[in-house]
Amino acid sequence: MRVSIQEAIATLSSPLKEAMEQLCASPEFDATISEQEYENLLEVSGLADKDLRVALLPVAAAYSIAPISKFYVGAIARGASGRLYFGANMEFEGVQLNQSVHAEQSAISHAWLKGESSLKDITINYSPCGHCRQFMNEINGADTLNIQLPDRDAKLLHEYLPEPFGPIDLGIEQPLLVPVNHGLTAEEDDALIQAAVSATNRSHAPYSHNLSGAAIRDIHGNVFSGMYAENAAFNPSLPPLQVALIAMNLADVALKDIQDVVLVERANAVISHLQDTQAVLEALNPDIPLGYLAI
């Protein structure tokens, strides 16, 4: 069964438990751990680096939303900055299973949303599925990315994904996480639309060229944005709404608190996220209004 973040922290051994309780109680806590904070956790716990990351996986998994599988997975991505980003799987009842978010996708998107341009390693509860191995192969620095599992030595991603097929095979020189600004604009001055446009300008869509972004406003007026993460194998691509939902979930905001959503995408593109976005929102709450802008 799913446990709360506080319950997950309570399972940690002292003094790590007390240090994490203090860290997570801070109003500034955002499901990330800075390099300095992590160094402090290493010191107080006396654990080795890999052992500490594995020990923290239950805290990441506490963000999991898994009403279908009841299988709660956590992931922790470490960015080039040294900051650690929590992630967890998300499932949505009433829509296709391919709309689900895997824990690795969540942690990677979390790092991307907060400005990381590459990752050093990712720590996961369970061996990554083929879908996630392919998704990770899209990111900047995939050839040096380390995968850490419990009770195993770290391995490079390409040891889990030998003879990989990725962006370079399709002539793409800018992988996922590399900062971009596509320069799109919209005349509308609505804050939610502008947030979705900003996300669209950060999107990664080198195969379909359907630059797209989404923005969610909750009942308290907070806005969470997400951008499209396309993949060389197509199917592991992560839609913009899901990336925005990841941001909202990791801010500890419930899905029931969504007030309205805007989707922005390129006009006349060869694909569209509109129908899938409508389907997910309909399943979450049929009363959620969806704004749509093609630019």
Side-chain angles (χ1 to χ4, degrees), residues 11-110:
T11 66
L12 301 175
S13 300
S14 296
L16 177 60
K17 177 178 70 173
E18 289 77 16
M20 280 299 295
E21 286 175 340
Q22 182 177 1
L23 184 63
C24 294
S26 168
E28 307 301 319
F29 181 70
D30 62 350
T32 73
I33 299 174
S34 72
E35 185 174 32
Q36 182 177 354
E37 290 166 339
Y38 186 67
E39 289 294 333
N40 180 62
L41 293 177
L42 285 169
E43 182 176 350
V44 300
S45 69
L47 294 173
D49 175 31
K50 71 173 184 178
D51 295 326
L52 177 55
R53 284 181 283 128
V54 168
L56 292 175
L57 281 174
V59 183
Y63 288 95
S64 172
I65 300 174
I68 301 171
S69 69
K70 306 295 192 296
F71 190 65
Y72 305 102
V73 185
I76 302 172
R78 176 155 48 188
S81 69
R83 182 174 288 271
L84 274 64
Y85 300 85
F86 289 172
N89 59 318
M90 298 180 71
E91 301 167 357
F92 311 102
E93 292 181 281
V95 296
Q96 308 96 319
L97 290 177
N98 64 5
Q99 295 299 303
S100 302
V101 175
H102 295 231
E104 295 92 324
Q105 291 179 307
S106 175
I108 291 167
S109 296
H110 191 192

Side-chain angles (χ1 to χ4, degrees), residues 204-245:
H204 175 75
Y207 313 109
S208 73
H209 305 293
N210 183 27
L211 307 174
S212 50
I216 299 170
R217 181 160 42 210
D218 71 12
I219 58 175
H220 303 292
N222 301 306
V223 173
F224 305 94
S225 303
M227 48 280 193
Y228 181 34
E230 206 161 63
N231 191 273
F234 288 15
N235 287 346
S237 301
L238 194 60
L241 175 66
Q242 272 76 343
V243 178
L245 289 169

Side-chain angles (χ1 to χ4, degrees), residues 4-286:
S4 69
I5 298 167
Q6 292 73 24
E7 288 171 329
I9 293 173
T11 66
L12 301 175
S13 300
S14 296
L16 177 60
K17 177 178 70 173
E18 289 77 16
M20 280 299 295
E21 286 175 340
Q22 182 177 1
L23 184 63
C24 294
S26 168
E28 307 301 319
F29 181 70
D30 62 350
T32 73
I33 299 174
S34 72
E35 185 174 32
Q36 182 177 354
E37 290 166 339
Y38 186 67
E39 289 294 333
N40 180 62
L41 293 177
L42 285 169
E43 182 176 350
V44 300
S45 69
L47 294 173
D49 175 31
K50 71 173 184 178
D51 295 326
L52 177 55
R53 284 181 283 128
V54 168
L56 292 175
L57 281 174
V59 183
Y63 288 95
S64 172
I65 300 174
I68 301 171
S69 69
K70 306 295 192 296
F71 190 65
Y72 305 102
V73 185
I76 302 172
R78 176 155 48 188
S81 69
R83 182 174 288 271
L84 274 64
Y85 300 85
F86 289 172
N89 59 318
M90 298 180 71
E91 301 167 357
F92 311 102
E93 292 181 281
V95 296
Q96 308 96 319
L97 290 177
N98 64 5
Q99 295 299 303
S100 302
V101 175
H102 295 231
E104 295 92 324
Q105 291 179 307
S106 175
I108 291 167
S109 296
H110 191 192
W112 185 30
L113 283 163
K114 290 181 174 168
E116 291 288 349
S117 60
S118 64
L119 300 180
K120 295 179 179 179
D121 51 54
I122 187 162
T123 306
I124 320 161
N125 292 72
Y126 304 96
S127 182
C129 69
H131 182 98
C132 288
R133 297 178 195 198
Q134 185 63 47
F135 185 83
M136 289 187 282
N137 193 51
E138 189 77 20
I139 71 171
N140 189 26
D143 56 340
T144 59
L145 181 68
N146 273 301
I147 309 296
Q148 180 67 60
L149 301 176
D151 302 319
R152 297 191 196 179
D153 292 333
K155 291 184 179 181
L156 290 172
L157 169 63
H158 288 169
E159 293 182 79
Y160 285 98
L161 187 68
E163 300 185 27
F165 177 85
I168 194 169
D169 296 291
L170 294 175
I172 302 303
E173 296 181 355
Q174 283 194 319
L176 182 65
L177 299 187
V178 170
V180 294
N181 184 343
H182 300 296
L184 300 176
T185 60
E187 295 181 359
E188 292 80 355
D189 59 3
D190 179 85
L192 199 61
I193 291 176
Q194 289 300 325
V197 171
S198 294
T200 301
N201 280 324
R202 295 181 62 194
S203 61
H204 175 75
Y207 313 109
S208 73
H209 305 293
N210 183 27
L211 307 174
S212 50
I216 299 170
R217 181 160 42 210
D218 71 12
I219 58 175
H220 303 292
N222 301 306
V223 173
F224 305 94
S225 303
M227 48 280 193
Y228 181 34
E230 206 161 63
N231 191 273
F234 288 15
N235 287 346
S237 301
L238 194 60
L241 175 66
Q242 272 76 343
V243 178
L245 289 169
I246 289 167
M248 191 178 84
N249 182 43
L250 292 169
D252 207 22
V253 176
L255 297 178
K256 65 180 178 60
D257 289 342
I258 296 174
Q259 178 172 291
D260 53 350
V261 176
V262 166
L263 172 67
V264 172
E265 59 184 1
R266 290 298 296 268
N268 303 316
V270 296
I271 66 166
S272 174
H273 299 291
L274 181 56
Q275 289 186 335
D276 286 340
T277 301
Q278 289 171 326
V280 173
L281 293 179
E282 176 77 15
L284 293 176
N285 181 349

